[in-house]
Amino acid sequence: MKPFSFLSFGKKSRRKKTAKNRRWLTKRKFLLVASLVVLLLAALYIIYLDFTVRTRFEGRRFALPARVYARPLELYAGLKLAPSELVAELALLGYREATSPREPGSYQWRNQQVELVTRPFTYGDGPQESSSLRVSFAGDRVTALQGRADNAAIELLRLDPALIGGIYPGNNEDRVLVRLDEVPQLLVDALIAVEDVRFYSHRGIDPRGIARALVMTVSGKSVQGGSTLTQQLVKNFFLSSERTVRRKLNEMVMALLLEVHYSKEEILETYLNEVYLGQDGNRAIHGFGLASSFFFDKPLMQIDLTEAALLVGMLKGPTYYSPRRHPKRALGRRNLVLGEMAEARFITDQQLLAGRITPLGVVDRPPRGISPYPAFLSLVHRQLRRDYRDEDLRSEGLQIFTTLDPWVQRSAEKALSQQLKRLEQGRGIAADSLQGALLMTDVQNGEVQAVVGGRDPRFEGFNRALDAQRPIGSLIKPVVFLTALQQPQSYTLATLLDDSPLLLQQPGTDDWQPQNYDKKFHGPVPLHTALAHSYNVSTARLGLQLGVPSVLDNLGRLGVDRQLPGYAASLLGADTFSPLEVAQFYQTLASGGFRTPLRAIREVLTFAGQPLQRYPLKVEQVVDAPSNYLLTVALQEVVQQGTARGLHRYLPAELNLAGKTGTTDEFRDSWFAGFSGDRLGVVWVGRDDNQPAGLTGASGAMTVWAKMMVGLDLEPLILPIPDSIEHVWIESKSGLRSAAGCPDAVELPFVTGSAPTESASCGPGSKGNPIKSWFERIFK
């Protein structure tokens, strides 16, 4: 055993101490390096957050929905418009009745005068300022437009168009952007008093405010929260809604960074446009600019103290404090805000007392954001997709001016829903089993004035007007007869067609034996009579003589831009079409043979009001004037004495309407297409399950068409007679010339040189034997 040595013990002690120091130094270095790494990572993370803040905030590009407007009503002396119709239009626009109109968007109706103050609006051709005017009437016609201040005559004035819907971003956010100088100071004061009383003095976060809010919240004496306006903006603009420490730390850091780079005014303006303030169906109301319109139907600059206090109070819980659903809660919350404003010396005690007894003042009206015309809006969206990306439609704030006529649309909706109900009740059909669809267009320019996709016009689902593919039955027959009339040396309105039994046998297909609706055959019938009474057999035989491909080629020229199979049954409407497609080819016939693509859009403006694209009228003549004239005369006969003669129970004969009924096998589909001098309407009635509806074209769709047109101001259909047309008296039975006053004589138009040269016994230059003459003509 070694002896004990103090020297050796000291050496061991020093070695242990040195090792301990080395370990401590190593640990210290590690901690220092770790701290530096943490600081570096924190710095990098802050740089990342700073980049995020500056990138997102400097753009400050809110996703703005496209806004869709109806046509503006143009007022001028001589316009056929009743005072009640003008008032109905003003109500649709949200104008308020007032004893003495002074504010834009107000009116007064007294006897034969309507005084109003229009709203300013920016059109593609420039801004239109607000006008104060008087509209005078005599019966149902405008006699004068005058300025209320100086009685100066006004030649033409456009009302602001009705907002009929929007195309919203994927999250369905909607907002109306406002600049800070467009925000009333009392709204800013209310916001500062309630949400962030030290907004103009802190640098993004407010430790004193957090402590004060905590104490006051516990005591129940305040409505303030702990987050500053800047923090709230960061949370809404950059972060998710999760409640974690990490998100809160991010919020505080980003709030500090935001205040470093941007002014209080920029932060406040963005906050005012960003915040969520309510829900309109599936549309989210964001920003005070839209909220003022949604709740008070007025621009933000026009709201008063109590309205500003209500909007600010709703920030705490837009659903919980909704003034429409929970008015008592909203009233209490608003009054708390007024109290905070008084405590912060933004308002006087007198203003506080007066404000607390003021009603909420929220307007009770259908919300504008959810389109009342989903079927029409669907057509607009489809046409826009041809020229714009969907993301641009949903985010760039485009202004879309359409062709929808609210007055026509209302008449169409009412006619369809009410008449379907009457048909069910009157014919013992199960309630709500019938469906329908219709379109109305302007025959001169192809503008779509109304679209109804079903008996419930507010339903946003299946749009039968655009998407229902149904056999059209006899609606195809005018195309067959037009194809014949385009060959005037072979076919005229007087040409006798064979309506005797027909059997078509073709290899690989079933025998085809068409029947007439009355289950009878009518022998030789004049071409115009065969169309007027919608004889199937004579039409089929005519179409086979012309050739099915020729008929379908004509249909393509009229506006149907897809290939059809081309069966013999196509001649009687076995092919399926949507009401929109039917409207397109009938539009060509109604406009005198000029094909005009149907359009629902007039022009598109940017958010700033700059013209982006116009949709000009495109016209191409595809049917010669004489042939189209002859066919239209025949379609007028359909209404006068053919399958659509029942229209005279609803509309005066002086309108000279033209149209065609359509019925499909087993009465599954009921159609009517008809036009006046200014409007074309196409109606389909049937069942979604394709079961028989028990209705012909005349007993179903035509009655809807008639009810719709009764509510409108139709122009008579007065046909200009082409130079190459002559009128000749014809004996119907023989198809030979006759004379006025002779039995069975009818005056028909012909292309010059195509009228028969031989005469019946009663006519001049008679050959004496009409039967012999007829046979000689047939077998020459």
Side-chain angles (χ1 to χ4, degrees), residues 549-578:
S550 297
V551 174
L552 296 185
D553 285 347
N554 226 359
L555 186 61
R557 283 189 289 273
L558 293 174
V560 176
D561 57 357
R562 60 186 173 94
Q563 293 294 322
L564 296 170
Y567 302 121
S570 299
L571 299 170
L572 298 182
D575 294 320
T576 61
F577 297 85
S578 69

PDB file of all heavy atoms in Angstrom, residues 549-578:
ATOM      1  N   PRO A 549     -80.876  14.482 -95.810  1.00  0.00           N
ATOM      2  CA  PRO A 549     -79.663  15.314 -95.662  1.00  0.00           C
ATOM      3  C   PRO A 549     -79.881  16.769 -96.041  1.00  0.00           C
ATOM      4  O   PRO A 549     -79.324  17.666 -95.402  1.00  0.00           O
ATOM      5  CB  PRO A 549     -78.658  14.624 -96.605  1.00  0.00           C
ATOM      6  CG  PRO A 549     -79.116  13.205 -96.678  1.00  0.00           C
ATOM      7  CD  PRO A 549     -80.616  13.282 -96.643  1.00  0.00           C
ATOM      8  N   SER A 550     -80.701  17.024 -97.058  1.00  0.00           N
ATOM      9  CA  SER A 550     -80.960  18.415 -97.462  1.00  0.00           C
ATOM     10  C   SER A 550     -81.681  19.182 -96.358  1.00  0.00           C
ATOM     11  O   SER A 550     -81.385  20.349 -96.082  1.00  0.00           O
ATOM     12  CB  SER A 550     -81.791  18.441 -98.751  1.00  0.00           C
ATOM     13  OG  SER A 550     -81.088  17.864 -99.815  1.00  0.00           O
ATOM     14  N   VAL A 551     -82.646  18.506 -95.736  1.00  0.00           N
ATOM     15  CA  VAL A 551     -83.390  19.149 -94.646  1.00  0.00           C
ATOM     16  C   VAL A 551     -82.459  19.444 -93.467  1.00  0.00           C
ATOM     17  O   VAL A 551     -82.478  20.537 -92.896  1.00  0.00           O
ATOM     18  CB  VAL A 551     -84.571  18.274 -94.206  1.00  0.00           C
ATOM     19  CG1 VAL A 551     -85.260  18.874 -92.978  1.00  0.00           C
ATOM     20  CG2 VAL A 551     -85.571  18.108 -95.348  1.00  0.00           C
ATOM     21  N   LEU A 552     -81.613  18.473 -93.106  1.00  0.00           N
ATOM     22  CA  LEU A 552     -80.716  18.664 -91.971  1.00  0.00           C
ATOM     23  C   LEU A 552     -79.626  19.693 -92.279  1.00  0.00           C
ATOM     24  O   LEU A 552     -79.179  20.417 -91.388  1.00  0.00           O
ATOM     25  CB  LEU A 552     -80.100  17.335 -91.558  1.00  0.00           C
ATOM     26  CG  LEU A 552     -81.097  16.278 -91.044  1.00  0.00           C
ATOM     27  CD1 LEU A 552     -80.365  15.038 -90.554  1.00  0.00           C
ATOM     28  CD2 LEU A 552     -81.983  16.849 -89.941  1.00  0.00           C
ATOM     29  N   ASP A 553     -79.204  19.777 -93.529  1.00  0.00           N
ATOM     30  CA  ASP A 553     -78.256  20.834 -93.908  1.00  0.00           C
ATOM     31  C   ASP A 553     -78.891  22.207 -93.712  1.00  0.00           C
ATOM     32  O   ASP A 553     -78.241  23.151 -93.251  1.00  0.00           O
ATOM     33  CB  ASP A 553     -77.836  20.657 -95.372  1.00  0.00           C
ATOM     34  CG  ASP A 553     -76.863  19.507 -95.566  1.00  0.00           C
ATOM     35  OD1 ASP A 553     -76.333  19.011 -94.552  1.00  0.00           O
ATOM     36  OD2 ASP A 553     -76.654  19.114 -96.726  1.00  0.00           O
ATOM     37  N   ASN A 554     -80.148  22.315 -94.063  1.00  0.00           N
ATOM     38  CA  ASN A 554     -80.854  23.579 -93.860  1.00  0.00           C
ATOM     39  C   ASN A 554     -80.945  23.914 -92.371  1.00  0.00           C
ATOM     40  O   ASN A 554     -80.801  25.075 -91.969  1.00  0.00           O
ATOM     41  CB  ASN A 554     -82.252  23.486 -94.467  1.00  0.00           C
ATOM     42  CG  ASN A 554     -82.610  24.700 -95.301  1.00  0.00           C
ATOM     43  OD1 ASN A 554     -81.821  25.633 -95.427  1.00  0.00           O
ATOM     44  ND2 ASN A 554     -83.795  24.688 -95.875  1.00  0.00           N
ATOM     45  N   LEU A 555     -81.197  22.889 -91.568  1.00  0.00           N
ATOM     46  CA  LEU A 555     -81.267  23.097 -90.123  1.00  0.00           C
ATOM     47  C   LEU A 555     -79.944  23.629 -89.593  1.00  0.00           C
ATOM     48  O   LEU A 555     -79.918  24.500 -88.719  1.00  0.00           O
ATOM     49  CB  LEU A 555     -81.623  21.775 -89.438  1.00  0.00           C
ATOM     50  CG  LEU A 555     -81.885  21.816 -87.929  1.00  0.00           C
ATOM     51  CD1 LEU A 555     -83.069  22.716 -87.604  1.00  0.00           C
ATOM     52  CD2 LEU A 555     -82.128  20.410 -87.401  1.00  0.00           C
ATOM     53  N   GLY A 556     -78.840  23.112 -90.137  1.00  0.00           N
ATOM     54  CA  GLY A 556     -77.531  23.611 -89.737  1.00  0.00           C
ATOM     55  C   GLY A 556     -77.337  25.062 -90.114  1.00  0.00           C
ATOM     56  O   GLY A 556     -76.780  25.850 -89.329  1.00  0.00           O
ATOM     57  N   ARG A 557     -77.785  25.449 -91.294  1.00  0.00           N
ATOM     58  CA  ARG A 557     -77.668  26.852 -91.703  1.00  0.00           C
ATOM     59  C   ARG A 557     -78.507  27.764 -90.817  1.00  0.00           C
ATOM     60  O   ARG A 557     -78.140  28.919 -90.563  1.00  0.00           O
ATOM     61  CB  ARG A 557     -78.074  27.011 -93.162  1.00  0.00           C
ATOM     62  CG  ARG A 557     -77.019  26.541 -94.151  1.00  0.00           C
ATOM     63  CD  ARG A 557     -77.396  26.927 -95.575  1.00  0.00           C
ATOM     64  NE  ARG A 557     -78.528  26.146 -96.061  1.00  0.00           N
ATOM     65  CZ  ARG A 557     -78.422  24.967 -96.653  1.00  0.00           C
ATOM     66  NH1 ARG A 557     -77.240  24.418 -96.829  1.00  0.00           N
ATOM     67  NH2 ARG A 557     -79.501  24.325 -97.086  1.00  0.00           N
ATOM     68  N   LEU A 558     -79.621  27.245 -90.319  1.00  0.00           N
ATOM     69  CA  LEU A 558     -80.483  28.050 -89.451  1.00  0.00           C
ATOM     70  C   LEU A 558     -79.883  28.256 -88.064  1.00  0.00           C
ATOM     71  O   LEU A 558     -80.324  29.143 -87.333  1.00  0.00           O
ATOM     72  CB  LEU A 558     -81.856  27.389 -89.317  1.00  0.00           C
ATOM     73  CG  LEU A 558     -82.709  27.354 -90.594  1.00  0.00           C
ATOM     74  CD1 LEU A 558     -83.975  26.546 -90.363  1.00  0.00           C
ATOM     75  CD2 LEU A 558     -83.047  28.762 -91.066  1.00  0.00           C
ATOM     76  N   GLY A 559     -78.893  27.429 -87.684  1.00  0.00           N
ATOM     77  CA  GLY A 559     -78.229  27.689 -86.415  1.00  0.00           C
ATOM     78  C   GLY A 559     -77.957  26.507 -85.528  1.00  0.00           C
ATOM     79  O   GLY A 559     -77.372  26.681 -84.448  1.00  0.00           O
ATOM     80  N   VAL A 560     -78.346  25.295 -85.916  1.00  0.00           N
ATOM     81  CA  VAL A 560     -78.047  24.108 -85.110  1.00  0.00           C
ATOM     82  C   VAL A 560     -76.654  23.619 -85.505  1.00  0.00           C
ATOM     83  O   VAL A 560     -76.455  23.139 -86.632  1.00  0.00           O
ATOM     84  CB  VAL A 560     -79.091  23.006 -85.321  1.00  0.00           C
ATOM     85  CG1 VAL A 560     -78.704  21.744 -84.551  1.00  0.00           C
ATOM     86  CG2 VAL A 560     -80.464  23.502 -84.873  1.00  0.00           C
ATOM     87  N   ASP A 561     -75.709  23.736 -84.595  1.00  0.00           N
ATOM     88  CA  ASP A 561     -74.309  23.500 -84.952  1.00  0.00           C
ATOM     89  C   ASP A 561     -73.795  22.142 -84.466  1.00  0.00           C
ATOM     90  O   ASP A 561     -72.704  22.037 -83.929  1.00  0.00           O
ATOM     91  CB  ASP A 561     -73.417  24.615 -84.396  1.00  0.00           C
ATOM     92  CG  ASP A 561     -73.536  24.757 -82.898  1.00  0.00           C
ATOM     93  OD1 ASP A 561     -74.359  24.033 -82.302  1.00  0.00           O
ATOM     94  OD2 ASP A 561     -72.800  25.574 -82.315  1.00  0.00           O
ATOM     95  N   ARG A 562     -74.588  21.099 -84.646  1.00  0.00           N
ATOM     96  CA  ARG A 562     -74.115  19.749 -84.329  1.00  0.00           C
ATOM     97  C   ARG A 562     -74.695  18.759 -85.331  1.00  0.00           C
ATOM     98  O   ARG A 562     -75.722  19.023 -85.966  1.00  0.00           O
ATOM     99  CB  ARG A 562     -74.497  19.337 -82.903  1.00  0.00           C
ATOM    100  CG  ARG A 562     -75.986  19.317 -82.585  1.00  0.00           C
ATOM    101  CD  ARG A 562     -76.223  19.038 -81.122  1.00  0.00           C
ATOM    102  NE  ARG A 562     -77.615  19.159 -80.738  1.00  0.00           N
ATOM    103  CZ  ARG A 562     -78.480  18.145 -80.701  1.00  0.00           C
ATOM    104  NH1 ARG A 562     -78.086  16.930 -81.051  1.00  0.00           N
ATOM    105  NH2 ARG A 562     -79.724  18.346 -80.334  1.00  0.00           N
ATOM    106  N   GLN A 563     -74.004  17.658 -85.471  1.00  0.00           N
ATOM    107  CA  GLN A 563     -74.423  16.649 -86.425  1.00  0.00           C
ATOM    108  C   GLN A 563     -75.601  15.843 -85.870  1.00  0.00           C
ATOM    109  O   GLN A 563     -75.618  15.485 -84.693  1.00  0.00           O
ATOM    110  CB  GLN A 563     -73.261  15.708 -86.736  1.00  0.00           C
ATOM    111  CG  GLN A 563     -72.120  16.372 -87.494  1.00  0.00           C
ATOM    112  CD  GLN A 563     -72.528  16.791 -88.899  1.00  0.00           C
ATOM    113  OE1 GLN A 563     -73.275  16.076 -89.573  1.00  0.00           O
ATOM    114  NE2 GLN A 563     -72.062  17.957 -89.328  1.00  0.00           N
ATOM    115  N   LEU A 564     -76.553  15.560 -86.735  1.00  0.00           N
ATOM    116  CA  LEU A 564     -77.712  14.750 -86.357  1.00  0.00           C
ATOM    117  C   LEU A 564     -77.681  13.450 -87.148  1.00  0.00           C
ATOM    118  O   LEU A 564     -77.128  13.396 -88.259  1.00  0.00           O
ATOM    119  CB  LEU A 564     -79.001  15.521 -86.634  1.00  0.00           C
ATOM    120  CG  LEU A 564     -79.175  16.799 -85.803  1.00  0.00           C
ATOM    121  CD1 LEU A 564     -80.355  17.606 -86.314  1.00  0.00           C
ATOM    122  CD2 LEU A 564     -79.361  16.462 -84.337  1.00  0.00           C
ATOM    123  N   PRO A 565     -78.264  12.373 -86.627  1.00  0.00           N
ATOM    124  CA  PRO A 565     -78.135  11.061 -87.279  1.00  0.00           C
ATOM    125  C   PRO A 565     -78.760  10.979 -88.661  1.00  0.00           C
ATOM    126  O   PRO A 565     -78.288  10.253 -89.515  1.00  0.00           O
ATOM    127  CB  PRO A 565     -78.821  10.118 -86.285  1.00  0.00           C
ATOM    128  CG  PRO A 565     -79.702  10.981 -85.455  1.00  0.00           C
ATOM    129  CD  PRO A 565     -78.996  12.294 -85.350  1.00  0.00           C
ATOM    130  N   GLY A 566     -79.834  11.717 -88.900  1.00  0.00           N
ATOM    131  CA  GLY A 566     -80.402  11.747 -90.244  1.00  0.00           C
ATOM    132  C   GLY A 566     -81.278  10.576 -90.593  1.00  0.00           C
ATOM    133  O   GLY A 566     -81.204  10.024 -91.704  1.00  0.00           O
ATOM    134  N   TYR A 567     -82.138  10.151 -89.690  1.00  0.00           N
ATOM    135  CA  TYR A 567     -83.109   9.106 -89.976  1.00  0.00           C
ATOM    136  C   TYR A 567     -84.354   9.723 -90.620  1.00  0.00           C
ATOM    137  O   TYR A 567     -84.590  10.938 -90.532  1.00  0.00           O
ATOM    138  CB  TYR A 567     -83.508   8.371 -88.700  1.00  0.00           C
ATOM    139  CG  TYR A 567     -82.341   7.749 -87.968  1.00  0.00           C
ATOM    140  CD1 TYR A 567     -82.062   8.109 -86.654  1.00  0.00           C
ATOM    141  CD2 TYR A 567     -81.528   6.804 -88.587  1.00  0.00           C
ATOM    142  CE1 TYR A 567     -81.002   7.540 -85.977  1.00  0.00           C
ATOM    143  CE2 TYR A 567     -80.462   6.220 -87.923  1.00  0.00           C
ATOM    144  CZ  TYR A 567     -80.197   6.597 -86.614  1.00  0.00           C
ATOM    145  OH  TYR A 567     -79.146   6.037 -85.953  1.00  0.00           O
ATOM    146  N   ALA A 568     -85.165   8.881 -91.228  1.00  0.00           N
ATOM    147  CA  ALA A 568     -86.414   9.377 -91.802  1.00  0.00           C
ATOM    148  C   ALA A 568     -87.290  10.002 -90.721  1.00  0.00           C
ATOM    149  O   ALA A 568     -87.968  11.010 -90.943  1.00  0.00           O
ATOM    150  CB  ALA A 568     -87.156   8.236 -92.506  1.00  0.00           C
ATOM    151  N   ALA A 569     -87.253   9.409 -89.505  1.00  0.00           N
ATOM    152  CA  ALA A 569     -88.066   9.940 -88.410  1.00  0.00           C
ATOM    153  C   ALA A 569     -87.618  11.332 -87.986  1.00  0.00           C
ATOM    154  O   ALA A 569     -88.371  12.044 -87.307  1.00  0.00           O
ATOM    155  CB  ALA A 569     -88.009   8.980 -87.216  1.00  0.00           C
ATOM    156  N   SER A 570     -86.415  11.740 -88.404  1.00  0.00           N
ATOM    157  CA  SER A 570     -85.957  13.104 -88.103  1.00  0.00           C
ATOM    158  C   SER A 570     -86.872  14.138 -88.739  1.00  0.00           C
ATOM    159  O   SER A 570     -86.987  15.270 -88.243  1.00  0.00           O
ATOM    160  CB  SER A 570     -84.530  13.307 -88.613  1.00  0.00           C
ATOM    161  OG  SER A 570     -83.626  12.417 -87.994  1.00  0.00           O
ATOM    162  N   LEU A 571     -87.531  13.755 -89.847  1.00  0.00           N
ATOM    163  CA  LEU A 571     -88.431  14.678 -90.548  1.00  0.00           C
ATOM    164  C   LEU A 571     -89.650  15.023 -89.713  1.00  0.00           C
ATOM    165  O   LEU A 571     -90.329  16.023 -89.988  1.00  0.00           O
ATOM    166  CB  LEU A 571     -88.873  14.054 -91.875  1.00  0.00           C
ATOM    167  CG  LEU A 571     -87.748  13.743 -92.869  1.00  0.00           C
ATOM    168  CD1 LEU A 571     -88.276  12.921 -94.023  1.00  0.00           C
ATOM    169  CD2 LEU A 571     -87.126  15.056 -93.372  1.00  0.00           C
ATOM    170  N   LEU A 572     -89.958  14.191 -88.713  1.00  0.00           N
ATOM    171  CA  LEU A 572     -91.111  14.455 -87.837  1.00  0.00           C
ATOM    172  C   LEU A 572     -90.668  14.783 -86.412  1.00  0.00           C
ATOM    173  O   LEU A 572     -91.463  14.677 -85.471  1.00  0.00           O
ATOM    174  CB  LEU A 572     -92.060  13.255 -87.852  1.00  0.00           C
ATOM    175  CG  LEU A 572     -92.675  12.911 -89.219  1.00  0.00           C
ATOM    176  CD1 LEU A 572     -93.625  11.735 -89.103  1.00  0.00           C
ATOM    177  CD2 LEU A 572     -93.383  14.123 -89.817  1.00  0.00           C
ATOM    178  N   GLY A 573     -89.416  15.159 -86.236  1.00  0.00           N
ATOM    179  CA  GLY A 573     -88.969  15.664 -84.938  1.00  0.00           C
ATOM    180  C   GLY A 573     -88.573  14.614 -83.940  1.00  0.00           C
ATOM    181  O   GLY A 573     -88.696  14.838 -82.733  1.00  0.00           O
ATOM    182  N   ALA A 574     -88.061  13.459 -84.415  1.00  0.00           N
ATOM    183  CA  ALA A 574     -87.630  12.425 -83.469  1.00  0.00           C
ATOM    184  C   ALA A 574     -86.314  12.776 -82.794  1.00  0.00           C
ATOM    185  O   ALA A 574     -86.002  12.246 -81.725  1.00  0.00           O
ATOM    186  CB  ALA A 574     -87.497  11.078 -84.192  1.00  0.00           C
ATOM    187  N   ASP A 575     -85.523  13.648 -83.421  1.00  0.00           N
ATOM    188  CA  ASP A 575     -84.248  14.047 -82.809  1.00  0.00           C
ATOM    189  C   ASP A 575     -84.501  14.961 -81.615  1.00  0.00           C
ATOM    190  O   ASP A 575     -85.511  15.679 -81.552  1.00  0.00           O
ATOM    191  CB  ASP A 575     -83.375  14.784 -83.833  1.00  0.00           C
ATOM    192  CG  ASP A 575     -82.940  13.875 -84.971  1.00  0.00           C
ATOM    193  OD1 ASP A 575     -82.607  12.712 -84.700  1.00  0.00           O
ATOM    194  OD2 ASP A 575     -82.963  14.342 -86.127  1.00  0.00           O
ATOM    195  N   THR A 576     -83.562  14.930 -80.669  1.00  0.00           N
ATOM    196  CA  THR A 576     -83.725  15.711 -79.440  1.00  0.00           C
ATOM    197  C   THR A 576     -82.979  17.043 -79.538  1.00  0.00           C
ATOM    198  O   THR A 576     -81.875  17.123 -80.098  1.00  0.00           O
ATOM    199  CB  THR A 576     -83.209  14.929 -78.227  1.00  0.00           C
ATOM    200  OG1 THR A 576     -81.812  14.644 -78.398  1.00  0.00           O
ATOM    201  CG2 THR A 576     -83.970  13.623 -78.052  1.00  0.00           C
ATOM    202  N   PHE A 577     -83.597  18.066 -78.968  1.00  0.00           N
ATOM    203  CA  PHE A 577     -83.018  19.411 -78.926  1.00  0.00           C
ATOM    204  C   PHE A 577     -83.330  20.028 -77.574  1.00  0.00           C
ATOM    205  O   PHE A 577     -84.311  19.666 -76.919  1.00  0.00           O
ATOM    206  CB  PHE A 577     -83.605  20.305 -80.019  1.00  0.00           C
ATOM    207  CG  PHE A 577     -83.317  19.852 -81.420  1.00  0.00           C
ATOM    208  CD1 PHE A 577     -84.124  18.897 -82.044  1.00  0.00           C
ATOM    209  CD2 PHE A 577     -82.250  20.379 -82.133  1.00  0.00           C
ATOM    210  CE1 PHE A 577     -83.868  18.477 -83.332  1.00  0.00           C
ATOM    211  CE2 PHE A 577     -81.992  19.968 -83.424  1.00  0.00           C
ATOM    212  CZ  PHE A 577     -82.793  19.010 -84.030  1.00  0.00           C
ATOM    213  N   SER A 578     -82.508  20.982 -77.187  1.00  0.00           N
ATOM    214  CA  SER A 578     -82.822  21.782 -76.002  1.00  0.00           C
ATOM    215  C   SER A 578     -83.684  22.967 -76.435  1.00  0.00           C
ATOM    216  O   SER A 578     -83.656  23.374 -77.610  1.00  0.00           O
ATOM    217  CB  SER A 578     -81.541  22.292 -75.341  1.00  0.00           C
ATOM    218  OG  SER A 578     -80.921  23.270 -76.170  1.00  0.00           O
TER     219      SER A 578
END
